[in-house]
Amino acid sequence: MKRELVLTTSRIDEATLLEQRTMSRGMGAVVCFVGVVRVDEAGQAIAALEYETFQPMAQHQFARLFDELEKRWPVESVRLVHRLGVVPVNEPSLWVEIIAPHRGEAFAACQFLIDEMKRVVPIWKKPVAYTSLTTPQ
Amino acid sequence: MKRELVLTTSRIDEATLLEQRTMSRGMGAVVCFVGVVRVDEAGQAIAALEYETFQPMAQHQFARLFDELEKRWPVESVRLVHRLGVVPVNEPSLWVEIIAPHRGEAFAACQFLIDEMKRVVPIWKKPVAYTSLTTPQ
Amino acid sequence: MRVQIDFYSYFKDLTGCARAFAALPPGSTIADLLRHLYVRFPKLAPMQRATLIAVGVEYQKPDYMLQDGDEVALFPPVQGG
Amino acid sequence: MRVQIDFYSYFKDLTGCARAFAALPPGSTIADLLRHLYVRFPKLAPMQRATLIAVGVEYQKPDYMLQDGDEVALFPPVQGG
């Protein structure tokens, strides 16, 4: 199984990630998830979310999840990018792509990976408020 | 809910579809599915699949599914492209994108749409074999 | 009355045509039409349990009462994606 | 023995620091360390049921026996995505 994990403070560049996609001729399904920062976090309008991680543990926990994914489903490729630092509203914080022979397993693997990430991977977020100088859009 | 339906004999251009994506600041989830023609159809190596449709009925049935989607989930945008005619192995035949506030509803809506499409939308495929003149890759 | 029947996918191969017309007594249902078609296109008959039927752009059941000029479509299970 | 404790997310605000060290008797468990920390950082105590604990890069339970030099991390439920 091809694995790519990127934890980065740079903007997630979906076009480049798409260009870099490769899949063998036996693969029939690509499921891609993009998590985007919403303007309302717990009922409050925010300007951004700030993501923090404990990076060595995050990488280790992602590696364990990738192992588990590989055991459960015939996934050919998993790529995951999580942005860190300040992510403005309407920009992606998470990008996940799963390539598998069939649709069912690609959807299952993608949802499993995100669910488990939110349970065990040490990444936290806190809202960044509009300052008094900023007019909420 | 924004709706886009394209039934086309042209190649599905994911990069352009990505460029054309728009989402409002309340949206937090994009789920994208790409169905790709696999080299093995029912255990036989093929060169392509040829897709046929009964187009007015396909459009009507897709419209009904989009209505149902809108009733069930707070989806902001659904875009679906289905390629028709001969689609070579390793090229996309189906591209679906769902944009919703949250992950759960985006995944549910995307899977519902594909499942229902495969039940009611009049599109059929038949395998295109390698001819004796073509060397299987 | 007269109805048009369009065949899709491998049903065209089974019937040898993409479109046919049938003259039926008024009040005929889809079930009546099918009986007529299974005589005319015997290779369709074994497909009966895997046949989807639409009138216009909507699926209909065998008890659907046909109207003059109806456009009926007969096809095998769909396989998009 | 001496262990290092790193705090993440708002646990840093509750303790007022990102890293602390603790000297503990040999054979101490994570539960023993927590009792020590809740005295030293009383604002952490109410978070007890929402505290995740790792040693190195693996989650561990309160009965985990600590070793000299262990790097312990304490943090609230994770929220990636």
Side-chain angles (χ1 to χ4, degrees), chain B residues 80-103:
Chain B
L80 187 149
V81 184
H82 202 304
R83 189 164 165 194
L84 301 171
V86 174
V87 185
V89 164
N90 217 226
E91 290 190 17
S93 53
L94 173 66
W95 183 93
V96 185
E97 181 200 70
I98 301 282
I99 299 175
H102 304 100
R103 180 168 50 102

PDB file of all heavy atoms in Angstrom, chain B residues 80-103:
ATOM      1  N   LEU B  80     -22.315  16.015 -10.598  1.00  0.00           N
ATOM      2  CA  LEU B  80     -22.114  14.633 -11.051  1.00  0.00           C
ATOM      3  C   LEU B  80     -21.835  14.638 -12.552  1.00  0.00           C
ATOM      4  O   LEU B  80     -22.574  15.255 -13.330  1.00  0.00           O
ATOM      5  CB  LEU B  80     -23.348  13.803 -10.716  1.00  0.00           C
ATOM      6  CG  LEU B  80     -23.236  12.285 -10.964  1.00  0.00           C
ATOM      7  CD1 LEU B  80     -24.087  11.506  -9.962  1.00  0.00           C
ATOM      8  CD2 LEU B  80     -23.604  11.886 -12.380  1.00  0.00           C
ATOM      9  N   VAL B  81     -20.773  13.960 -12.923  1.00  0.00           N
ATOM     10  CA  VAL B  81     -20.434  13.805 -14.339  1.00  0.00           C
ATOM     11  C   VAL B  81     -20.358  12.313 -14.627  1.00  0.00           C
ATOM     12  O   VAL B  81     -19.644  11.583 -13.924  1.00  0.00           O
ATOM     13  CB  VAL B  81     -19.075  14.463 -14.668  1.00  0.00           C
ATOM     14  CG1 VAL B  81     -18.788  14.364 -16.166  1.00  0.00           C
ATOM     15  CG2 VAL B  81     -19.040  15.919 -14.202  1.00  0.00           C
ATOM     16  N   HIS B  82     -21.111  11.857 -15.621  1.00  0.00           N
ATOM     17  CA  HIS B  82     -21.012  10.458 -16.046  1.00  0.00           C
ATOM     18  C   HIS B  82     -20.583  10.447 -17.505  1.00  0.00           C
ATOM     19  O   HIS B  82     -21.195  11.091 -18.341  1.00  0.00           O
ATOM     20  CB  HIS B  82     -22.344   9.729 -15.883  1.00  0.00           C
ATOM     21  CG  HIS B  82     -22.177   8.232 -15.794  1.00  0.00           C
ATOM     22  ND1 HIS B  82     -21.529   7.482 -16.758  1.00  0.00           N
ATOM     23  CD2 HIS B  82     -22.552   7.355 -14.832  1.00  0.00           C
ATOM     24  CE1 HIS B  82     -21.531   6.207 -16.396  1.00  0.00           C
ATOM     25  NE2 HIS B  82     -22.135   6.095 -15.237  1.00  0.00           N
ATOM     26  N   ARG B  83     -19.511   9.738 -17.754  1.00  0.00           N
ATOM     27  CA  ARG B  83     -19.052   9.646 -19.133  1.00  0.00           C
ATOM     28  C   ARG B  83     -19.811   8.538 -19.869  1.00  0.00           C
ATOM     29  O   ARG B  83     -20.159   7.521 -19.281  1.00  0.00           O
ATOM     30  CB  ARG B  83     -17.542   9.348 -19.138  1.00  0.00           C
ATOM     31  CG  ARG B  83     -16.941   9.442 -20.520  1.00  0.00           C
ATOM     32  CD  ARG B  83     -15.433   9.532 -20.453  1.00  0.00           C
ATOM     33  NE  ARG B  83     -14.825   9.267 -21.736  1.00  0.00           N
ATOM     34  CZ  ARG B  83     -13.536   9.021 -21.920  1.00  0.00           C
ATOM     35  NH1 ARG B  83     -12.722   9.011 -20.872  1.00  0.00           N
ATOM     36  NH2 ARG B  83     -13.059   8.790 -23.119  1.00  0.00           N
ATOM     37  N   LEU B  84     -20.052   8.759 -21.141  1.00  0.00           N
ATOM     38  CA  LEU B  84     -20.761   7.792 -21.984  1.00  0.00           C
ATOM     39  C   LEU B  84     -19.850   7.385 -23.138  1.00  0.00           C
ATOM     40  O   LEU B  84     -18.812   8.005 -23.374  1.00  0.00           O
ATOM     41  CB  LEU B  84     -22.049   8.418 -22.525  1.00  0.00           C
ATOM     42  CG  LEU B  84     -23.031   8.891 -21.445  1.00  0.00           C
ATOM     43  CD1 LEU B  84     -24.161   9.696 -22.071  1.00  0.00           C
ATOM     44  CD2 LEU B  84     -23.588   7.711 -20.654  1.00  0.00           C
ATOM     45  N   GLY B  85     -20.283   6.348 -23.877  1.00  0.00           N
ATOM     46  CA  GLY B  85     -19.456   5.863 -24.978  1.00  0.00           C
ATOM     47  C   GLY B  85     -18.324   5.010 -24.435  1.00  0.00           C
ATOM     48  O   GLY B  85     -18.425   4.454 -23.337  1.00  0.00           O
ATOM     49  N   VAL B  86     -17.256   4.924 -25.183  1.00  0.00           N
ATOM     50  CA  VAL B  86     -16.147   4.045 -24.811  1.00  0.00           C
ATOM     51  C   VAL B  86     -15.223   4.746 -23.805  1.00  0.00           C
ATOM     52  O   VAL B  86     -14.698   5.817 -24.081  1.00  0.00           O
ATOM     53  CB  VAL B  86     -15.350   3.621 -26.066  1.00  0.00           C
ATOM     54  CG1 VAL B  86     -14.100   2.827 -25.665  1.00  0.00           C
ATOM     55  CG2 VAL B  86     -16.235   2.781 -26.988  1.00  0.00           C
ATOM     56  N   VAL B  87     -15.063   4.147 -22.647  1.00  0.00           N
ATOM     57  CA  VAL B  87     -14.165   4.685 -21.619  1.00  0.00           C
ATOM     58  C   VAL B  87     -13.041   3.659 -21.395  1.00  0.00           C
ATOM     59  O   VAL B  87     -13.284   2.562 -20.898  1.00  0.00           O
ATOM     60  CB  VAL B  87     -14.909   4.945 -20.290  1.00  0.00           C
ATOM     61  CG1 VAL B  87     -13.963   5.611 -19.282  1.00  0.00           C
ATOM     62  CG2 VAL B  87     -16.156   5.785 -20.512  1.00  0.00           C
ATOM     63  N   PRO B  88     -11.818   4.013 -21.785  1.00  0.00           N
ATOM     64  CA  PRO B  88     -10.702   3.069 -21.647  1.00  0.00           C
ATOM     65  C   PRO B  88     -10.391   2.750 -20.190  1.00  0.00           C
ATOM     66  O   PRO B  88     -10.664   3.558 -19.291  1.00  0.00           O
ATOM     67  CB  PRO B  88      -9.509   3.827 -22.275  1.00  0.00           C
ATOM     68  CG  PRO B  88     -10.119   4.910 -23.093  1.00  0.00           C
ATOM     69  CD  PRO B  88     -11.403   5.274 -22.415  1.00  0.00           C
ATOM     70  N   VAL B  89      -9.811   1.595 -19.991  1.00  0.00           N
ATOM     71  CA  VAL B  89      -9.354   1.188 -18.657  1.00  0.00           C
ATOM     72  C   VAL B  89      -8.463   2.286 -18.065  1.00  0.00           C
ATOM     73  O   VAL B  89      -7.684   2.914 -18.778  1.00  0.00           O
ATOM     74  CB  VAL B  89      -8.573  -0.144 -18.766  1.00  0.00           C
ATOM     75  CG1 VAL B  89      -7.743  -0.412 -17.517  1.00  0.00           C
ATOM     76  CG2 VAL B  89      -9.542  -1.292 -19.009  1.00  0.00           C
ATOM     77  N   ASN B  90      -8.619   2.515 -16.737  1.00  0.00           N
ATOM     78  CA  ASN B  90      -7.826   3.499 -15.988  1.00  0.00           C
ATOM     79  C   ASN B  90      -8.292   4.942 -16.190  1.00  0.00           C
ATOM     80  O   ASN B  90      -7.688   5.866 -15.671  1.00  0.00           O
ATOM     81  CB  ASN B  90      -6.327   3.364 -16.291  1.00  0.00           C
ATOM     82  CG  ASN B  90      -5.452   3.621 -15.063  1.00  0.00           C
ATOM     83  OD1 ASN B  90      -4.461   4.337 -15.108  1.00  0.00           O
ATOM     84  ND2 ASN B  90      -5.832   3.060 -13.936  1.00  0.00           N
ATOM     85  N   GLU B  91      -9.400   5.124 -16.925  1.00  0.00           N
ATOM     86  CA  GLU B  91      -9.970   6.484 -17.027  1.00  0.00           C
ATOM     87  C   GLU B  91     -11.283   6.542 -16.250  1.00  0.00           C
ATOM     88  O   GLU B  91     -12.004   5.559 -16.151  1.00  0.00           O
ATOM     89  CB  GLU B  91     -10.207   6.851 -18.500  1.00  0.00           C
ATOM     90  CG  GLU B  91      -8.904   7.066 -19.246  1.00  0.00           C
ATOM     91  CD  GLU B  91      -9.109   7.669 -20.647  1.00  0.00           C
ATOM     92  OE1 GLU B  91     -10.194   8.208 -20.919  1.00  0.00           O
ATOM     93  OE2 GLU B  91      -8.164   7.578 -21.447  1.00  0.00           O
ATOM     94  N   PRO B  92     -11.609   7.721 -15.695  1.00  0.00           N
ATOM     95  CA  PRO B  92     -12.842   7.851 -14.914  1.00  0.00           C
ATOM     96  C   PRO B  92     -14.103   7.758 -15.781  1.00  0.00           C
ATOM     97  O   PRO B  92     -14.168   8.353 -16.851  1.00  0.00           O
ATOM     98  CB  PRO B  92     -12.752   9.263 -14.319  1.00  0.00           C
ATOM     99  CG  PRO B  92     -11.341   9.682 -14.463  1.00  0.00           C
ATOM    100  CD  PRO B  92     -10.799   8.954 -15.655  1.00  0.00           C
ATOM    101  N   SER B  93     -15.073   7.017 -15.284  1.00  0.00           N
ATOM    102  CA  SER B  93     -16.390   6.978 -15.924  1.00  0.00           C
ATOM    103  C   SER B  93     -17.395   7.806 -15.132  1.00  0.00           C
ATOM    104  O   SER B  93     -18.419   8.223 -15.662  1.00  0.00           O
ATOM    105  CB  SER B  93     -16.884   5.540 -16.031  1.00  0.00           C
ATOM    106  OG  SER B  93     -16.842   4.904 -14.769  1.00  0.00           O
ATOM    107  N   LEU B  94     -17.112   8.029 -13.854  1.00  0.00           N
ATOM    108  CA  LEU B  94     -18.055   8.731 -12.976  1.00  0.00           C
ATOM    109  C   LEU B  94     -17.282   9.634 -12.028  1.00  0.00           C
ATOM    110  O   LEU B  94     -16.263   9.219 -11.461  1.00  0.00           O
ATOM    111  CB  LEU B  94     -18.855   7.705 -12.154  1.00  0.00           C
ATOM    112  CG  LEU B  94     -19.765   8.269 -11.059  1.00  0.00           C
ATOM    113  CD1 LEU B  94     -20.910   9.080 -11.659  1.00  0.00           C
ATOM    114  CD2 LEU B  94     -20.319   7.137 -10.187  1.00  0.00           C
ATOM    115  N   TRP B  95     -17.792  10.837 -11.864  1.00  0.00           N
ATOM    116  CA  TRP B  95     -17.203  11.791 -10.913  1.00  0.00           C
ATOM    117  C   TRP B  95     -18.356  12.431 -10.144  1.00  0.00           C
ATOM    118  O   TRP B  95     -19.303  12.929 -10.750  1.00  0.00           O
ATOM    119  CB  TRP B  95     -16.415  12.853 -11.689  1.00  0.00           C
ATOM    120  CG  TRP B  95     -15.688  13.864 -10.847  1.00  0.00           C
ATOM    121  CD1 TRP B  95     -14.397  13.801 -10.421  1.00  0.00           C
ATOM    122  CD2 TRP B  95     -16.202  15.111 -10.335  1.00  0.00           C
ATOM    123  NE1 TRP B  95     -14.081  14.911  -9.684  1.00  0.00           N
ATOM    124  CE2 TRP B  95     -15.165  15.731  -9.613  1.00  0.00           C
ATOM    125  CE3 TRP B  95     -17.440  15.746 -10.417  1.00  0.00           C
ATOM    126  CZ2 TRP B  95     -15.320  16.965  -8.980  1.00  0.00           C
ATOM    127  CZ3 TRP B  95     -17.608  16.978  -9.771  1.00  0.00           C
ATOM    128  CH2 TRP B  95     -16.548  17.569  -9.071  1.00  0.00           C
ATOM    129  N   VAL B  96     -18.302  12.355  -8.831  1.00  0.00           N
ATOM    130  CA  VAL B  96     -19.372  12.916  -7.990  1.00  0.00           C
ATOM    131  C   VAL B  96     -18.741  13.768  -6.903  1.00  0.00           C
ATOM    132  O   VAL B  96     -17.742  13.367  -6.300  1.00  0.00           O
ATOM    133  CB  VAL B  96     -20.192  11.808  -7.290  1.00  0.00           C
ATOM    134  CG1 VAL B  96     -21.367  12.398  -6.532  1.00  0.00           C
ATOM    135  CG2 VAL B  96     -20.676  10.757  -8.265  1.00  0.00           C
ATOM    136  N   GLU B  97     -19.319  14.923  -6.665  1.00  0.00           N
ATOM    137  CA  GLU B  97     -18.841  15.775  -5.572  1.00  0.00           C
ATOM    138  C   GLU B  97     -20.030  16.266  -4.755  1.00  0.00           C
ATOM    139  O   GLU B  97     -21.005  16.763  -5.329  1.00  0.00           O
ATOM    140  CB  GLU B  97     -18.083  16.972  -6.134  1.00  0.00           C
ATOM    141  CG  GLU B  97     -17.528  17.906  -5.065  1.00  0.00           C
ATOM    142  CD  GLU B  97     -17.225  19.289  -5.652  1.00  0.00           C
ATOM    143  OE1 GLU B  97     -18.202  20.014  -5.983  1.00  0.00           O
ATOM    144  OE2 GLU B  97     -16.043  19.619  -5.784  1.00  0.00           O
ATOM    145  N   ILE B  98     -19.931  16.126  -3.454  1.00  0.00           N
ATOM    146  CA  ILE B  98     -20.963  16.603  -2.529  1.00  0.00           C
ATOM    147  C   ILE B  98     -20.321  17.601  -1.578  1.00  0.00           C
ATOM    148  O   ILE B  98     -19.261  17.317  -1.008  1.00  0.00           O
ATOM    149  CB  ILE B  98     -21.553  15.446  -1.701  1.00  0.00           C
ATOM    150  CG1 ILE B  98     -22.166  14.367  -2.602  1.00  0.00           C
ATOM    151  CG2 ILE B  98     -22.541  15.956  -0.661  1.00  0.00           C
ATOM    152  CD1 ILE B  98     -23.510  14.687  -3.176  1.00  0.00           C
ATOM    153  N   ILE B  99     -20.961  18.737  -1.389  1.00  0.00           N
ATOM    154  CA  ILE B  99     -20.485  19.724  -0.410  1.00  0.00           C
ATOM    155  C   ILE B  99     -21.585  19.936   0.627  1.00  0.00           C
ATOM    156  O   ILE B  99     -22.742  20.187   0.266  1.00  0.00           O
ATOM    157  CB  ILE B  99     -20.119  21.054  -1.096  1.00  0.00           C
ATOM    158  CG1 ILE B  99     -18.981  20.816  -2.102  1.00  0.00           C
ATOM    159  CG2 ILE B  99     -19.728  22.117  -0.051  1.00  0.00           C
ATOM    160  CD1 ILE B  99     -18.621  22.040  -2.923  1.00  0.00           C
ATOM    161  N   ALA B 100     -21.227  19.777   1.889  1.00  0.00           N
ATOM    162  CA  ALA B 100     -22.207  19.891   2.971  1.00  0.00           C
ATOM    163  C   ALA B 100     -21.520  20.500   4.190  1.00  0.00           C
ATOM    164  O   ALA B 100     -20.292  20.588   4.237  1.00  0.00           O
ATOM    165  CB  ALA B 100     -22.777  18.509   3.308  1.00  0.00           C
ATOM    166  N   PRO B 101     -22.309  20.905   5.184  1.00  0.00           N
ATOM    167  CA  PRO B 101     -21.677  21.473   6.382  1.00  0.00           C
ATOM    168  C   PRO B 101     -20.769  20.475   7.095  1.00  0.00           C
ATOM    169  O   PRO B 101     -19.676  20.837   7.532  1.00  0.00           O
ATOM    170  CB  PRO B 101     -22.871  21.863   7.271  1.00  0.00           C
ATOM    171  CG  PRO B 101     -24.020  22.040   6.337  1.00  0.00           C
ATOM    172  CD  PRO B 101     -23.784  21.050   5.220  1.00  0.00           C
ATOM    173  N   HIS B 102     -21.224  19.226   7.219  1.00  0.00           N
ATOM    174  CA  HIS B 102     -20.464  18.258   8.023  1.00  0.00           C
ATOM    175  C   HIS B 102     -20.154  16.987   7.234  1.00  0.00           C
ATOM    176  O   HIS B 102     -20.865  16.634   6.300  1.00  0.00           O
ATOM    177  CB  HIS B 102     -21.247  17.890   9.286  1.00  0.00           C
ATOM    178  CG  HIS B 102     -21.614  19.071  10.123  1.00  0.00           C
ATOM    179  ND1 HIS B 102     -22.864  19.635  10.083  1.00  0.00           N
ATOM    180  CD2 HIS B 102     -20.887  19.820  10.984  1.00  0.00           C
ATOM    181  CE1 HIS B 102     -22.897  20.678  10.909  1.00  0.00           C
ATOM    182  NE2 HIS B 102     -21.702  20.817  11.461  1.00  0.00           N
ATOM    183  N   ARG B 103     -19.130  16.332   7.722  1.00  0.00           N
ATOM    184  CA  ARG B 103     -18.622  15.122   7.095  1.00  0.00           C
ATOM    185  C   ARG B 103     -19.662  14.006   6.963  1.00  0.00           C
ATOM    186  O   ARG B 103     -19.816  13.415   5.890  1.00  0.00           O
ATOM    187  CB  ARG B 103     -17.463  14.632   7.984  1.00  0.00           C
ATOM    188  CG  ARG B 103     -16.764  13.413   7.583  1.00  0.00           C
ATOM    189  CD  ARG B 103     -15.487  13.292   8.415  1.00  0.00           C
ATOM    190  NE  ARG B 103     -15.752  13.455   9.845  1.00  0.00           N
ATOM    191  CZ  ARG B 103     -15.827  12.467  10.713  1.00  0.00           C
ATOM    192  NH1 ARG B 103     -15.607  11.229  10.310  1.00  0.00           N
ATOM    193  NH2 ARG B 103     -16.070  12.697  11.983  1.00  0.00           N
TER     194      ARG B 103
END
